[in-house]
Amino acid sequence: MHTQILRARAPDSAWVWLSAVAIPLMLIAPALWNGYPLLQWDTGGYLARWYEGYLVPSRSTVFGLYLHFGEDSSFWINLGIQALATLWILQLTLRVFGMVRPWRLAAISVALIVTTALPWLTSMLLTDIFTGLSVLALFILVVHGDKTSAIEKCLLFAFTAFAAATHSATLAVLLGLCCAGWIALPFLRSRIAISGLLQGSLTLIAGAAMLVSANFALSGKLAWTPGGYGVAFGRMLQDGIVKQYLRDHCPQQNLKLCPYRNELPATADQFLWGSSVFNTLGRFNGLNDEMGFIVTRSLAEYPLWQAQAAIVATAQQLVHVGTGEGTSGWIPHTYGIIERYIPSQLKPMRAAHQQHWDIDFTIINRLHVPIALASMLAVVAICGGAIWRRKLDDLSLFAATVTLALLGNAFVCGVISGPHDRYGARIAWVATLVALIAIVRHFAGRDEPDGSLPP
């Protein structure tokens, strides 16, 4: 019997070592091919936080410090951390679902790498990889904490707190999930432990404290990351609400934007990041108070219009799931930050394929977009099936959590920033993971939860 067990475990051991080496390499394959970590328009704003010593809108100092930690390695340490964290959370997710066979981890990982944005997110110097991973980490900590060790709980707690601190939208999605958990707790006491939900909620407090502390350490200001009003203003501008407000109030209110009300661009991106009147009036420093005033007053004066715009933006964001938005050769701000503050990185950065416009996501998205949309429909179908059967198992609860995360992400990003493919792609891959777990369970059945071999 002992010999049979050793023979049975030998293939599993081989899969463990193969997965431990091959999966992280595949997760950063786009960066390896590129010859340098992938950059995005927003990357430069995070890189500059260490050097500039002041707060800028929507750029977390926590993530800026994280990037600074990896500068001496040309940021390959950052990609290594992201790849290993992804592998760890994927295997932990499969483990708590009783799918402990290493070859299944390898198969599901390869499927995600080929069919979703996951390797592109892992290969990029951006906060987006932590959004989906933090949803998984929070779910494990809250729902399956009893299946993890004390060390794993501590690591999950720290990881979720860090992810929440890297971006306000990620924090908002996690906060929404925790609120939903507390609301559902009276009905799901057999599935959700109060201790787990409390631990999950405390991660957000820890993440908020982490961000405020980093802001104070770098800028001397005990403050949250600025920029919420400016981003929301851009979305309202795009929906036509700002122009209507200016038409209604400029004769009475002395606003800086009044003389330019007929020259405002059509989109938020053109207003905030292009050559627009926003630059003329001092950008965030010059217009932040006025933008906040217009945002709050517009919410009160046009509530139905705002509600309709929010619903439309959320719906549009749900279907904006294309891979690679903002990952082109035209990211002058990020190039400028690297040239100014990290000149030693210029040569490898300029030699990369991305800087030669060699990356084209057209063919990639012919696969990724339909897979993402189909996966999201599959997750909703799993939830619907559970409601129809009036039976909530662990997979249905997982699907419900991911559904809420998808909706929360679409609402937060679509309503505040406006629909973008980047915001959808960073979390849509989690829906594909749910679908893959459902498929494996359907065709292969469940492993033993403790990973033991059958007699």
Side-chain angles (χ1 to χ4, degrees):
M1 177 64 70
H2 182 68
T3 302
Q4 290 176 343
I5 292 176
L6 289 177
R7 288 176 179 173
R9 286 183 173 172
D12 277 359
S13 179
W15 278 107
V16 167
W17 285 104
L18 180 62
S19 299
V21 175
I23 293 176
L25 290 176
M26 288 188 289
L27 284 168
I28 60 171
L32 293 173
W33 168 82
N34 187 51
Y36 193 78
L38 297 177
L39 304 173
Q40 207 263 359
W41 183 275
D42 293 349
T43 304
Y46 293 108
L47 287 172
R49 299 289 43 82
W50 171 264
Y51 297 96
E52 293 178 347
Y54 57 84
L55 306 181
V56 298
S58 303
R59 300 294 177 261
S60 164
T61 54
V62 171
F63 191 71
L65 290 172
Y66 163 76
L67 290 183
H68 180 69
F69 170 73
E71 280 182 14
D72 291 341
S73 69
S74 297
F75 304 105
W76 290 106
I77 286 179
N78 301 96
L79 298 197
I81 291 172
Q82 291 168 194
L84 292 174
T86 302
L87 174 62
W88 172 59
I89 291 179
L90 283 178
Q91 70 85 21
L92 200 55
T93 302
L94 297 184
R95 198 184 85 199
V96 300
F97 278 99
M99 302 172 63
V100 296
R101 294 295 185 258
W103 67 266
R104 288 182 180 169
L105 170 63
I108 288 176
S109 297
V110 170
L112 290 172
I113 289 167
V114 172
T115 64
T116 74
L118 182 58
W120 298 93
L121 300 174
T122 311
S123 296
M124 192 176 302
L125 301 180
L126 202 60
T127 64
D128 291 0
I129 182 60
F130 297 108
T131 303
L133 291 178
S134 63
V135 170
L136 296 177
L138 183 67
F139 175 79
I140 296 169
L141 188 63
V142 172
V143 179
H144 294 289
D146 59 329
K147 298 178 182 177
T148 59
S149 67
I151 293 177
E152 288 170 333
K153 285 189 182 72
C154 291
L155 291 174
L156 286 168
F157 187 99
F159 179 87
T160 308
F162 170 77
T166 62
H167 203 287
S168 295
T170 300
L171 175 61
V173 170
L174 298 177
L175 177 61
L177 291 177
C178 287
C179 290
W182 285 110
I183 293 171
L185 182 61
F187 310 99
L188 298 174
R189 287 192 177 274
S190 62
R191 292 286 179 186
I192 302 177
I194 293 179
S195 60
L197 195 51
L198 182 60
Q199 290 172 16
S201 301
L202 288 175
T203 63
L204 307 185
I205 297 175
M210 190 186 303
L211 179 59
V212 172
S213 299
N215 286 348
F216 180 75
L218 286 184
S219 71
K221 295 182 179 179
L222 198 64
W224 196 258
T225 303
Y229 281 128
V231 177
F233 179 92
R235 196 273 301 169
M236 293 183 187
L237 170 70
Q238 192 164 287
D239 290 332
I241 295 173
V242 169
K243 291 183 180 181
Q244 184 63 50
Y245 183 87
L246 293 176
R247 281 195 295 266
D248 292 345
H249 295 279
C250 273
Q252 299 82 29
Q253 297 176 0
N254 185 23
L255 298 172
K256 296 178 183 178
L257 286 169
C258 284
Y260 305 94
R261 61 184 181 273
N262 296 321
E263 304 173 19
L264 296 177
T267 69
D269 288 340
Q270 290 172 343
F271 178 77
L272 293 172
W273 315 118
S275 299
S276 74
V277 65
F278 186 57
N279 295 336
T280 304
L281 296 176
R283 297 188 62 79
F284 290 100
N285 288 335
L287 272 181
N288 195 59
D289 290 342
E290 183 165 307
M291 290 190 296
F293 176 80
I294 293 175
V295 166
T296 53
R297 293 296 295 270
S298 296
L299 287 169
E301 294 197 23
Y302 314 116
L304 293 180
W305 191 354
Q306 294 279 10
Q308 181 184 12
I311 293 171
V312 171
T314 300
Q316 290 176 339
Q317 182 59 74
L318 283 171
V319 297
H320 277 67
V321 292
T323 298
E325 183 186 32
T327 311
S328 65
W330 178 248
I331 45 176
H333 179 258
T334 295
Y335 297 156
I337 292 297
I338 292 176
E339 183 175 5
R340 183 184 309 169
Y341 297 120
I342 325 172
S344 61
Q345 300 286 321
L346 280 178
K347 184 176 180 180
M349 183 269 288
R350 287 174 173 168
H353 286 286
Q354 180 182 0
Q355 281 62 63
H356 292 272
W357 294 81
D358 293 338
I359 302 178
D360 186 356
F361 289 96
T362 304
I363 296 177
I364 292 171
N365 279 321
R366 289 177 184 173
L367 175 65
H368 286 191
V369 171
I371 290 291
L373 295 176
S375 298
M376 292 162 65
L377 289 175
V379 170
V380 174
I382 293 172
C383 295
I387 295 173
W388 178 263
R389 298 190 310 270
R390 296 184 179 180
K391 182 181 180 182
L392 186 68
D393 59 11
D394 55 350
L395 181 60
S396 301
L397 185 56
F398 186 32
T401 301
V402 172
T403 299
L404 290 175
L406 291 169
L407 289 172
N409 180 73
F411 177 79
V412 170
C413 296
V415 172
I416 302 228
S417 300
H420 287 78
D421 280 302
R422 172 196 154 196
Y423 302 143
R426 69 186 182 186
I427 199 170
W429 68 269
V430 183
T432 306
L433 174 63
V434 177
L436 289 170
I437 290 175
I439 291 170
V440 171
R441 274 198 167 182
H442 177 75
F443 287 103
R446 303 184 186 186
D447 285 338
E448 297 73 18
D450 62 356
S452 61
L453 291 168

